């Protein structure tokens, strides 16, 4: 069983990897040379990035809540 700080660190590391992978897709999209497809892919990449950021923000909130109870 993982403790909370370890779980937070693990999830954050995975989120950072996901964000990097999502970002690495961007340079390849123009080579598809199909505007409708590119637009949909960019829209999906934005949505994925947004959701990864939601996870990271929730981790920050949890950490802040934990820190305030330590005082």
């Amino acid at each position: 069983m993982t403790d909370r700080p370890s779980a937070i660190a693990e999830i954050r590391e995975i989120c950072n990897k996901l964000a990097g992978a999502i970002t690495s897709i961007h340079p390849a999209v123009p080579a598809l040379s199909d505007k409708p497809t590119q637009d949909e892919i960019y829209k999906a990449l934005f949505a994925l990035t947004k959701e990864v950021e939601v996870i990271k923000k929730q981790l920050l909130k949890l950490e802040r809540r934990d820190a305030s109870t330590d005082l």
Side-chain angles (χ1 to χ4, degrees):
M1 189 159 140
T2 304
D3 64 338
R4 184 179 285 185
S6 297
I8 289 171
E10 181 179 349
I11 293 168
R12 182 172 285 120
E13 180 182 338
I14 293 166
C15 283
N16 289 336
K17 288 178 183 177
L18 284 169
I22 291 166
T23 301
S24 70
I25 294 171
H26 282 266
V29 176
L32 298 174
S33 300
D34 183 78
K35 180 89 167 99
T37 301
Q38 290 168 280
D39 289 346
E40 286 301 313
I41 290 172
Y42 283 133
K43 186 166 50 167
L45 292 172
F46 175 77
L48 288 167
T49 300
K50 188 170 113 180
E51 295 304 323
V52 170
E53 290 303 313
V54 167
I55 295 169
K56 290 166 62 175
K57 285 179 187 175
Q58 289 301 311
L59 294 176
L60 281 172
K61 285 181 183 179
L62 183 58
E63 286 178 317
R64 287 185 188 132
R65 198 168 59 226
D66 287 350
S68 68
T69 60
D70 289 344
L71 300 176

